[in-house]
Amino acid sequence: MSDTQPGSGRVAEMTWPEIETALAETRTLLVPVGSTEQHGRHMPLGVDAYMPEAIGERVTERSPALLAPPVWYGVSPHHTFKPGTFTVSTETFQRYLFDICASASEWGIENVLLLNGHYLAQDPELEVVVRRLRSERDVQAFHVPLVNVFADVAEEIRTGEVSFHASEFETS
């Protein structure tokens, strides 16, 4: 991969020599963070991971950033009333995500963007992970809540009262 092109940065599809070569061009890792939980009767359980992964794919099409595999499990105790929802504790989630990013720093990643598709539910946990990565690993980490990225467009086009979870905007 000596001729690394934007769009070729899906870590799970690369070999370690390709990662090594890519690190000559970028030290940035995008980490899609979602959850697997109920989204009404009409949506797949993985939508909170699909959206940040899709955003990450678009970014890597335009930049040399690397895209980590999505984190599928999140803090979702508020959705366990329906089958198919998985949840982990706050402590497990924070430790797991921190360890993922810390291990990437071992192979040269200096900047991490946590693309949060689980909206407001995981914001506090992700902020803790960002602070720890900055202070304990000297990684420039950022929490990117997709709800903020989409807020203006959602407000402009939605017709229903529900703003995000399983709403018309998240569905479309």
Side-chain angles (χ1 to χ4, degrees), residues 85-152:
T85 296
F86 294 92
T87 190
V88 297
S89 71
T90 292
E91 296 79 15
T92 298
F93 178 76
Q94 289 174 352
R95 176 170 278 161
Y96 183 64
L97 198 51
F98 177 85
D99 286 350
I100 289 168
C101 298
S103 66
S105 75
E106 293 294 322
W107 39 271
I109 292 298
E110 298 171 354
N111 311 295
V112 171
L113 283 78
L114 303 173
L115 308 178
N116 183 17
H118 191 35
Y119 303 131
L120 305 173
Q122 293 176 161
D123 287 355
E125 288 87 354
L126 291 171
E127 289 300 326
V128 169
V129 172
V130 163
R131 283 193 304 274
R132 284 192 61 209
L133 286 168
R134 286 177 175 214
S135 66
E136 296 174 31
R137 301 301 295 215
D138 198 29
V139 170
Q140 291 303 304
F142 303 91
H143 168 214
V144 182
L146 295 189
V147 70
N148 293 352
V149 173
F150 297 144
D152 293 342

Side-chain angles (χ1 to χ4, degrees), residues 36-41 45 77-86:
T36 303
E37 66 179 26
Q38 70 83 24
H39 279 82
R41 295 179 181 273
L45 299 173
H78 51 290
H79 288 292
T80 57
F81 62 93
K82 295 293 182 194
T85 296
F86 294 92

